[in-house]
Amino acid sequence: MKHIDPTKHKYDDICKCYFMIMEILIDQLDQCSVTGFISGSNVEGATMAHVGFFSNPVQSKKQVTVLQDAYPIRPKAMHMMNLPSIMETVLNLFKSFMNDKMKSRMQIGDFSTLQADAGIDVLPEELGGTNGKLQDHIGNSIVSMMSSICSLIWLLSDYTQGLINDKKDWLKAQCEFKSDETKRPGKPKDYSEIFGMEGSFRKLNVD
């Protein structure tokens, strides 16, 4: 969290970065779809600026819809570690869009909860594990994530950077695909129906 600067970064770019990595994992790592995965987010260092940055209900709804209903993945647990009280509002916003199953997978705690769930053999020493140093996995590379999101400069490992570079053309191509709703049996689905935003922000007209 402390690496996200609300004055420099854009919410759309953060989401794009996250989903690009998820799509690569789905494409190349069957474990994500078959046996599932465990994620961990260290929210330590969050400020009120981060609260405002992530408190966009439209974007939050989009993120949850894609992760929960569109992606063929199995998140077994999503750990939110060292969550400041000021970020509880943001978490509750995300949870309001989740189904009961997804809500049950949200785990609030510290590094010990992640250790118990994932096992210390896969975690770095800084998180109480035995799998080398955190820097061995993160690396120092500061790169631009692709021309389409050039405003976001992110910290990536050489391995992750290599994955994105190798799949750059494939990732760009994904943006060109969409469903042909004329072929859907029954009623076609539009943007508002999928994301549930229709009517949420209408103006009130009073005679």
Side-chain angles (χ1 to χ4, degrees):
M1 183 64 67
K2 64 183 179 181
H3 293 301
I4 298 176
D5 186 345
T7 65
K8 296 180 179 179
H9 300 141
K10 297 181 179 179
Y11 195 175
D12 286 347
D13 292 345
I14 299 290
C15 295
K16 182 66 174 179
C17 176
Y18 174 80
F19 283 128
M20 282 197 305
I21 294 175
M22 289 303 303
E23 288 168 11
I24 291 173
L25 292 177
I26 292 170
D27 183 59
Q28 296 193 350
L29 192 63
D30 291 341
Q31 177 178 331
C32 281
S33 302
V34 179
T35 61
F37 69 96
I38 296 172
S39 67
S41 300
N42 184 13
V43 198
E44 187 177 14
T47 66
M48 284 303 299
H50 290 98
V51 174
F53 184 78
F54 287 104
S55 296
N56 185 319
V58 176
Q59 287 287 20
S60 300
K61 174 64 174 178
K62 288 180 182 179
Q63 281 188 273
V64 172
T65 299
V66 172
L67 182 63
Q68 178 175 274
D69 301 324
Y71 275 175
I73 55 176
R74 297 180 60 191
K76 299 175 68 175
M78 296 172 288
H79 290 268
M80 304 294 291
M81 300 174 293
N82 302 317
L83 183 76
S85 58
I86 59 173
M87 288 294 288
E88 291 180 2
T89 302
V90 176
L91 180 62
N92 290 335
L93 174 64
F94 276 90
K95 291 177 69 174
S96 69
F97 299 121
M98 295 178 178
N99 58 34
D100 291 338
K101 180 184 290 187
M102 193 67 72
K103 288 179 183 177
S104 68
R105 294 170 178 169
M106 295 292 299
Q107 304 293 326
I108 311 300
D110 52 25
F111 294 144
S112 64
T113 58
L114 180 62
Q115 293 165 9
D117 202 3
I120 62 173
D121 56 323
V122 300
L123 295 175
E125 295 174 8
E126 290 85 348
L127 300 182
T130 59
N131 190 16
K133 296 287 186 180
L134 184 61
Q135 200 61 40
D136 297 336
H137 301 281
I138 295 179
N140 293 322
S141 301
I142 301 178
V143 297
S144 176
M145 282 293 294
M146 287 172 66
S147 58
S148 61
I149 55 169
C150 60
S151 63
L152 176 63
I153 304 299
W154 204 243
L155 290 171
L156 294 175
S157 67
D158 291 336
Y159 176 75
T160 307
Q161 181 183 353
L163 284 178
I164 292 174
N165 286 335
D166 290 343
K167 303 290 289 186
K168 182 167 68 173
D169 292 338
W170 180 81
L171 286 166
K172 288 182 178 180
Q174 303 313 300
C175 299
E176 304 299 324
F177 295 112
K178 64 179 181 179
S179 63
D180 185 352
E181 291 299 318
T182 63
K183 301 183 184 302
R184 183 183 296 277
K187 179 184 176 182
K189 291 186 177 182
D190 58 18
Y191 178 91
S192 61
E193 184 175 352
I194 294 173
F195 292 109
M197 292 299 172
E198 186 175 9
S200 298
F201 304 101
R202 288 178 178 173
K203 292 181 178 180
L204 180 63
N205 293 320
V206 180
D207 292 333

